[in-house]
Amino acid sequence: MSQVKFINNPRPFKQTLDARVKHYFETHHLSEKGNRQLYIKSAVLLPLAIAVYLSLIVLHPAVWISILLCVSLGFVLAFIGFNIMHDAAHGSYSSSKALNEIMSLTLNLMGGNAYIWKVKHNIVHHTYTNINGEDEDIHVPILRLSPDQPRRWYHRYQHLYAPVLYMFTSLMWVLFNDYYKYFARKIESTPIPRMSLSEKMIFWGSKLLNLAIFLLIPAWIFGWLPAVIGLLIMHGSMGITLALVFQMAHCVEDTRFPMPQPESKKIENEWALHEVATTANFGTNSKLLYWLIGGLNFQIEHHLFPRISHVHYPAISAIVREVCQEFQVPYVAYPSFASAVRSHLRYLRQLGQSGR
């Protein structure tokens, strides 16, 4: 188990935030969970994914149309992950625990595993954000994402090859990473709680179901080569979409990568201040971006209030900004998605060419 601790007593910043956000929901008579806006998204995205898939399988379109449909399917699956699975796995999709559990299993249909993801993301990433040796999200093969990681000669070119590498994100996740965690039973220094028999059955059953849906059925209909090519195209668009959204949130020029004191293992900050320092927003004025990526352009709000549905992030962002200003805490926000991508690539180049 990780020994890293935060100085959370006192924690005036988070207490002030909690009080004002609570007041917002009480005065507006709102639930912190998802609402009709989120359920409409679900009613659009889930049938859309099915329609795109069936268009490929049933209609047998021309090659160029099939390629476009495979790309589109990857995007739609990523948007389902951002909007539906992400909220559900955090327990914010609905006030119903059962519905949250059901909707979090959309990740399993996409090839991942909700049980392992909750440990990896909810516990490890949200607690130890950007801490080298703790946060697995900044451990990507052949990339240097933290100044505390060793620099290799090939990192000099990482800003050039990273976008290509990102296209394999979801494929590696589905075909390797989950299995490694399943058998290793840990994520960095954090153990994965023992899985029940039902969770193990869900793990293996959903892995086989995903393989059947996205490889075996297409191979039976079209042959192995077209099926494999289609799978790679779908995962390419899904992988780069997932990777870019999450990398823009933490691995940019203005975010920080604190390390605990070597002896005490303490981060000299309260947890909430650590989250603000290690996280960035981007493109928060774009309603289209907000709709597509499930409010994850409001990453600061999400990291401070992960159990509040993303449909509320635009409203509470004003509160967070206000409290940050009062406490003189830097609030990192890039004006657009493109500007965040450029900052990420500059950050990769900087880390690839210098020791820190």
Side-chain angles (χ1 to χ4, degrees), residues 214-355:
F214 294 106
L215 181 60
L216 298 183
I217 292 175
W220 177 57
I221 295 174
F222 302 108
W224 283 103
L225 183 59
V228 170
I229 292 173
L231 183 74
L232 291 174
I233 292 172
M234 181 194 76
H235 273 290
S237 61
M238 178 164 59
I240 196 167
T241 304
L242 293 171
L244 284 179
V245 168
F246 287 113
Q247 294 290 41
M248 299 315 101
H250 303 290
C251 298
V252 286
E253 293 168 295
D254 297 307
T255 53
R256 298 293 175 259
F257 293 78
M259 287 295 288
Q261 296 295 323
E263 295 181 0
S264 66
K265 299 297 182 182
K266 285 186 177 181
I267 296 286
E268 298 296 326
N269 235 339
E270 62 171 287
W271 170 82
L273 289 173
H274 173 85
E275 293 306 302
V276 176
T278 57
T279 308
N281 286 1
F282 52 88
T284 55
N285 290 326
S286 172
K287 292 183 179 180
L288 176 62
L289 182 65
Y290 159 76
W291 195 92
L292 290 174
I293 68 171
L296 292 179
N297 49 334
F298 291 89
Q299 277 281 342
I300 294 175
E301 287 70 27
H302 171 60
H303 269 256
L304 291 170
F305 300 99
R307 295 188 65 82
I308 293 179
S309 173
H310 76 265
V311 298
H312 303 294
Y313 291 162
I316 68 173
S317 68
I319 299 172
V320 176
R321 283 178 179 267
E322 180 182 76
V323 174
C324 283
Q325 186 174 11
E326 289 178 16
F327 281 78
Q328 298 183 325
V329 174
Y331 181 98
V332 180
Y334 293 90
S336 65
F337 179 74
S339 62
V341 171
R342 290 193 294 270
S343 180
H344 173 62
L345 295 177
R346 287 194 298 267
Y347 175 73
L348 289 180
R349 183 175 182 178
Q350 173 189 330
L351 280 194
Q353 297 181 353
S354 63

Side-chain angles (χ1 to χ4, degrees), residues 194-214:
R194 183 179 295 274
M195 298 175 75
S196 65
L197 177 60
S198 62
E199 286 293 348
K200 290 180 179 179
M201 291 176 65
I202 291 172
F203 180 93
W204 291 107
S206 60
K207 286 289 185 183
L208 290 173
L209 180 61
N210 176 264
L211 186 67
I213 292 173
F214 294 106

Side-chain angles (χ1 to χ4, degrees), residues 22-304:
K22 180 181 179 181
H23 181 260
Y24 166 80
F25 282 101
E26 288 178 345
T27 55
H28 289 82
H29 306 289
L30 295 173
S31 166
E32 295 181 352
K33 307 306 180 183
N35 56 22
R36 185 172 61 179
Q37 177 186 337
L38 179 53
Y39 305 144
I40 290 174
K41 278 188 181 185
S42 303
V44 171
L45 291 172
L46 291 172
L48 181 59
I50 295 171
V52 174
Y53 177 81
L54 290 179
S55 296
L56 280 162
I57 298 299
V58 176
L59 300 181
H60 298 205
V63 172
W64 69 273
I65 296 178
S66 296
I67 292 173
L68 290 178
L69 287 173
C70 287
V71 172
S72 300
L73 183 58
F75 286 142
V76 174
L77 290 176
F79 298 150
I80 289 173
F82 294 143
N83 286 278
I84 301 171
M85 183 283 296
H86 192 254
D87 269 31
H90 276 292
S92 64
Y93 183 89
S94 167
S95 56
S96 166
K97 183 177 179 180
L99 184 56
N100 284 324
E101 288 296 322
I102 291 170
M103 300 310 285
S104 70
L105 291 176
T106 53
L107 177 61
N108 292 51
L109 290 176
M110 294 161 58
N113 180 263
Y115 184 91
I116 292 176
W117 190 87
K118 288 174 186 177
V119 179
K120 174 186 180 295
H121 185 79
N122 296 8
I123 297 175
V124 179
H125 172 65
H126 271 263
T127 305
Y128 308 113
T129 312
N130 279 11
I131 299 177
N132 187 48
E134 303 292 338
D135 184 2
E136 194 197 45
D137 282 13
I138 59 172
H139 288 176
V140 179
I142 71 172
L143 288 183
R144 185 179 188 232
L145 295 176
S146 166
D148 296 289
Q149 296 169 350
R151 182 167 61 93
R152 311 300 184 192
W153 66 268
Y154 48 80
H155 290 144
R156 179 176 293 273
Y157 311 102
Q158 66 176 1
H159 61 291
L160 300 176
Y161 64 72
V164 177
L165 189 66
Y166 291 160
M167 295 177 71
F168 295 91
T169 299
S170 59
L171 195 64
M172 284 294 294
W173 182 1
V174 169
L175 297 182
F176 176 76
N177 293 347
D178 275 348
Y179 294 105
Y180 177 81
K181 294 178 180 65
Y182 179 91
F183 289 107
R185 293 181 56 192
K186 67 176 183 177
I187 299 169
E188 299 298 327
S189 60
T190 301
I192 297 175
R194 183 179 295 274
M195 298 175 75
S196 65
L197 177 60
S198 62
E199 286 293 348
K200 290 180 179 179
M201 291 176 65
I202 291 172
F203 180 93
W204 291 107
S206 60
K207 286 289 185 183
L208 290 173
L209 180 61
N210 176 264
L211 186 67
I213 292 173
F214 294 106
L215 181 60
L216 298 183
I217 292 175
W220 177 57
I221 295 174
F222 302 108
W224 283 103
L225 183 59
V228 170
I229 292 173
L231 183 74
L232 291 174
I233 292 172
M234 181 194 76
H235 273 290
S237 61
M238 178 164 59
I240 196 167
T241 304
L242 293 171
L244 284 179
V245 168
F246 287 113
Q247 294 290 41
M248 299 315 101
H250 303 290
C251 298
V252 286
E253 293 168 295
D254 297 307
T255 53
R256 298 293 175 259
F257 293 78
M259 287 295 288
Q261 296 295 323
E263 295 181 0
S264 66
K265 299 297 182 182
K266 285 186 177 181
I267 296 286
E268 298 296 326
N269 235 339
E270 62 171 287
W271 170 82
L273 289 173
H274 173 85
E275 293 306 302
V276 176
T278 57
T279 308
N281 286 1
F282 52 88
T284 55
N285 290 326
S286 172
K287 292 183 179 180
L288 176 62
L289 182 65
Y290 159 76
W291 195 92
L292 290 174
I293 68 171
L296 292 179
N297 49 334
F298 291 89
Q299 277 281 342
I300 294 175
E301 287 70 27
H302 171 60
H303 269 256
L304 291 170

